[in-house]
Amino acid sequence: MARILSVAAALPDHEHAQEEITAALAAGMAEDDRTRSVMERIHASSGIRTRHLALPLDEYRGLSGFTETNELFVEHALPLAQRSVRVALEEAGLSVDDVDHLFFTTVTGLGAPSLDALLATSMGFRSDLRRVPSFGLGCVAGAAGIARVADYLAGHPEGVALLVSVELCSLTLQWDDHSMANVVGTGIFGDGAAAVVMVGDEHPLATGRITALPRVVGSRSALYPDSAEMIGWQIGSAGFRLMLAAGVPALIGGHFAAGVDELLAEQGWKRDDVDVWIAHPGGPRVLESFADCLELAPAALDISWGVMERTGNMSSAAVLHVLAAVGERPAGDRALLFALGPGVTAELVVLEWS
């Protein structure tokens, strides 16, 4: 079974209080006092205290369109991804020469060659590196990436794999979109990156460690019917316009718990056997819906709430920041890592420290 050796989270240097971001956005987006009041109320109720942005806050108003923002994505995403990879490899005791497989994900910038190719060449990865770039999984991709990397390592048990996520959600900002989805989105999304180093169970670093390592013991994917337009992007000449339906909490309530119970049952577990719940911090209503449908104690998702408070929702990188915040655990502890994304799809990953 695949083992997670390290998780490194990275944030851009431009940190702003939620109130400061709201004021700047309202100045450019609000058409009247009522719209401004709605933005202020929704942003204030998000539970988010600070967010990190790729650019200084006062530079967003002057952006000219998708061509410029996508170029800025490459310019700023690459060094952020490099930073997370360097730290993750150093903590794992490995180098770029050791990496066999790279799973890269983003949903906030486009390119061909994709950013992972630029990352590999700029950092000196081996020329025979196996790359899998992913676009479109969105917020679910951090969880899906761990599961897909574990699938790869099941067939390459001596291998070393790297999952890299980088999301610059702020560069998707749409000043002329006055929809409620955009009002909510501008209040919760932030920028960040993360890298996860994983090895197969026959790799020398998979055993013999002083501290326990989390191993992937199972995963599950679920694609919910009739939900394609509930979460995602409308992509056009102006860039990325957010789709975010009010029915997402009801969708979680109707489907999510059954999938969790089925995956846990495959391991011979029940919900009470889970020591740590690693939930994607998609927003306050998303976290509340996860907790409600799973009948969790109020403190069960505190780590996710804490990450959301400090950084907002960083799409695919967010759940990896939660995983990084979990830190070391005693041998025998069990966790469920999970996220929801466009499709609508859910990804669940069962971890056990050993």
Side-chain angles (χ1 to χ4, degrees):
M1 298 178 181
R3 305 262 180 169
I4 297 174
L5 296 187
S6 63
V7 185
L11 294 166
D13 295 331
H14 304 291
E15 180 181 3
H16 297 276
Q18 178 77 330
E19 296 82 1
E20 184 183 3
I21 296 174
T22 300
L25 294 178
M29 294 176 62
E31 299 176 302
D32 49 41
D33 290 343
R34 179 182 177 279
T35 305
R36 179 188 295 271
S37 177
V38 170
M39 286 187 68
E40 291 173 346
R41 174 176 55 81
I42 290 176
H43 289 199
S45 65
S46 66
I48 296 168
R49 179 173 48 85
T50 55
R51 285 184 278 167
H52 293 251
L53 307 178
L55 306 180
L57 184 56
D58 59 5
E59 292 186 11
Y60 285 90
R61 194 70 184 97
L63 297 181
S64 62
F66 180 55
T67 297
E68 182 182 9
T69 56
N70 202 56
E71 290 173 351
L72 287 168
F73 172 83
V74 176
E75 177 184 340
H76 292 275
L78 182 58
L80 196 62
Q82 290 170 335
R83 190 194 314 172
S84 65
V85 169
R86 288 192 188 100
V87 174
L89 288 174
E90 181 179 354
E91 291 181 353
L94 295 168
S95 73
V96 292
D97 291 334
D98 297 311
V99 179
D100 306 300
H101 178 74
L102 170 60
F103 186 101
F104 172 79
T105 188
T106 187
V107 75
T108 52
L110 297 170
S114 50
L115 194 76
D116 54 296
L118 306 181
L119 180 70
T121 54
S122 66
M123 296 191 70
F125 282 81
R126 299 194 325 253
S127 61
D128 65 343
L129 176 72
R130 300 182 182 185
R131 298 184 297 111
V132 180
S134 165
F135 178 89
L137 287 172
C139 293
V140 81
I146 289 178
R148 301 296 84 78
V149 168
D151 292 342
Y152 170 83
L153 291 172
H156 301 82
E158 297 179 353
V160 176
L162 186 63
L163 164 63
V164 179
S165 160
V166 59
E167 302 285 14
L168 303 186
C169 303
S170 66
L171 293 177
T172 68
L173 181 61
Q174 301 287 321
W175 291 98
D176 63 345
D177 182 0
H178 302 117
S179 67
M180 186 55 64
N182 195 45
V183 169
V184 173
T186 57
I188 63 174
F189 284 104
D191 298 343
V196 183
V197 179
M198 299 171 62
V199 295
D201 57 8
E202 294 180 16
H203 190 278
L205 293 179
T207 58
R209 310 279 286 203
I210 296 175
T211 57
L213 294 174
R215 63 189 180 108
V216 178
V217 297
S219 65
R220 182 182 180 89
S221 303
L223 182 60
Y224 300 146
D226 302 320
S227 61
E229 297 184 0
M230 298 191 74
I231 302 173
W233 296 129
Q234 292 176 328
I235 303 176
S237 59
F240 302 104
R241 289 183 180 266
L242 182 65
M243 296 189 301
L244 186 61
V248 171
L251 191 71
I252 294 172
H255 295 277
F256 191 74
V260 168
D261 290 340
E262 289 174 9
L263 176 60
L264 295 178
E266 291 173 6
Q267 321 307 321
W269 302 358
K270 296 182 179 179
R271 294 182 205 171
D272 290 343
D273 296 314
V274 177
D275 302 291
V276 187
W277 299 89
I278 305 172
H280 167 67
R285 293 194 66 195
V286 169
L287 286 178
E288 290 166 359
S289 299
F290 284 145
D292 288 346
C293 77
L294 295 173
E295 300 177 325
L296 299 178
L301 301 184
D302 276 357
I303 301 175
S304 297
W305 281 103
V307 168
M308 190 175 70
E309 178 187 18
R310 297 187 297 273
T311 67
N313 175 359
M314 299 165 286
S315 192
S316 67
V319 76
L320 303 180
H321 279 241
V322 179
L323 177 60
V326 168
E328 295 182 2
R329 304 288 304 186
D333 266 17
R334 296 165 171 176
L336 184 71
L337 181 150
F338 52 93
L340 207 70
V344 168
T345 185
E347 290 282 345
L348 317 174
V349 181
V350 178
L351 304 173
E352 184 175 29
W353 277 257
S354 63

